[in-house]
Amino acid sequence: MTIRHLEYFFSPKSVAVVGASPKPHSVGATVFANLRQSFRGELFAINPRHQRIFDLPCVPDIPSLPSAPDLAVICSPPATVPKLVSQLGAMGCKAAVVITGGMNGAGASITRDMLDAARPHTLRIIGPNCLGILVPGIRLNASFAHTDGLPGKLAFVSQSGALATAVLDWSKARGIGFSAFITIGDSADVDLGDLLDYLASDADTSAILLYIESVKHARKFMSAARAAARAKPVIAVKSGRAEAAARAVVSHTGALAGSDDVIDCALRRAGILRVSTLQDL
């Protein structure tokens, strides 16, 4: 378990969008527009097909950036991701959100190559196959969500991007804000345990909310969960209570969901309150 370099996800001073695009409704366009609308730090666009995107200059590749970004958001095709991660790491970037989906379907070797490219540079990765992250307190919306979040003291971590968008809508309509709003997708690198460890000591977070589909590294998760639950309330919804739902979770995340009774017991032992519905959460 490590929180090394996780601070670059939550307090970046510069963000680069790899695969930024002016094409309406594309992921690259939505991510870039969300950041351009609110982020107060430096914002870079990377796309070899464009010299400008909206009203900002665009560079053709990562080596053309004027400096290493604190955070990169990757929206490019699966096969390009390992090389991009290698270039970002070599430049000095320490955090990347890989929104790109389909990397499992394209072959496990792509995900493995991505992690191998990141490791020598200690570059941390959230994703792939995720919605992105939001830190409303610093007006960071590094996601392709259709709306932003309100600032607050709750941290929300979800393995489902689709559910996260519903939570954003629900919470915004009711004036509920977040210190951090994180979707982790396939959690190839940064996982639930890492984020629990980081958020447990985050002064801006008073409670942690989890939407869990599966637990990949049980021992690591339990250790982090115990420590976090001693520091502040941790509340979870765990999907897959029914057998059919559990099978769907396995096909989505590629990890074993596990017996619901075992998960229930583990959460209770860690000091996490499990609730049944999002309304209860």
Side-chain angles (χ1 to χ4, degrees):
M1 181 194 319
T2 175
I3 61 172
R4 190 175 190 182
H5 299 322
L6 293 193
E7 69 273 14
Y8 291 102
F9 290 107
F10 303 106
S11 56
K13 294 182 173 58
S14 58
V15 179
V17 180
V18 185
S21 172
K23 183 180 178 181
H25 310 301
S26 67
V27 172
T30 304
V31 170
F32 193 70
N34 283 344
L35 284 162
R36 174 176 165 267
Q37 183 175 349
S38 59
F39 183 57
R40 294 170 176 170
E42 285 188 286
L43 180 60
F44 304 112
I46 303 171
N47 191 319
R49 298 179 181 177
H50 303 281
Q51 293 185 331
R52 298 187 73 83
I53 295 180
F54 303 130
D55 56 348
L56 295 177
C58 180
V59 298
D61 51 33
I62 289 165
S64 300
L65 289 170
S67 60
D70 286 342
L71 174 65
V73 186
I74 298 177
C75 312
S76 59
T80 66
V81 172
K83 181 179 179 181
L84 295 171
V85 166
S86 178
Q87 291 177 334
L88 286 165
M91 196 172 197
C93 179
K94 295 300 182 186
V97 176
V98 180
I99 288 178
T100 304
M103 289 179 61
N104 284 336
S109 63
I110 294 182
T111 299
R112 184 171 60 249
D113 290 347
M114 175 189 73
L115 295 175
D116 289 344
R119 194 171 296 112
H121 310 289
T122 62
L123 185 152
R124 304 304 306 276
I125 293 170
I126 286 179
N129 189 30
C130 68
L131 181 76
I133 64 172
L134 298 89
V135 186
I138 63 168
R139 301 183 66 178
L140 175 73
N141 183 353
S143 78
F144 66 96
H146 65 281
T147 186
D148 56 1
L150 300 174
K153 301 290 282 183
L154 301 176
F156 181 77
V157 184
S158 175
Q159 288 182 310
S160 167
L163 179 132
T165 59
V167 171
L168 267 181
D169 284 337
W170 190 92
S171 61
K172 194 170 184 180
R174 289 159 178 79
I176 299 169
F178 299 96
S179 58
F181 193 95
I182 310 150
T183 64
I184 60 175
D186 295 340
S187 56
D189 174 27
V190 177
D191 61 14
L192 288 170
D194 297 322
L195 290 168
L196 279 169
D197 202 36
Y198 181 87
L199 294 168
S201 58
D202 178 33
D204 294 326
T205 297
S206 63
I208 303 168
L209 311 179
L210 305 175
Y211 178 79
I212 304 171
E213 290 186 339
S214 63
V215 177
K216 287 185 176 181
H217 308 289
R219 191 180 299 273
K220 175 182 176 182
F221 172 80
M222 289 297 293
S223 177
R226 287 192 193 100
R230 284 196 295 266
K232 56 193 66 174
V234 182
I235 306 169
V237 168
K238 168 66 176 67
S239 68
R241 186 178 292 273
E243 184 179 348
R247 286 197 300 269
V249 166
V250 172
S251 66
H252 178 222
T253 64
L256 182 64
S259 162
D260 190 71
D261 289 340
V262 172
I263 294 291
D264 198 60
C265 182
L267 293 177
R268 191 181 306 115
R269 182 169 180 176
I272 293 176
L273 174 63
R274 181 180 182 181
V275 295
S276 299
T277 67
L278 289 175
Q279 287 80 3
D280 288 341
L281 188 70

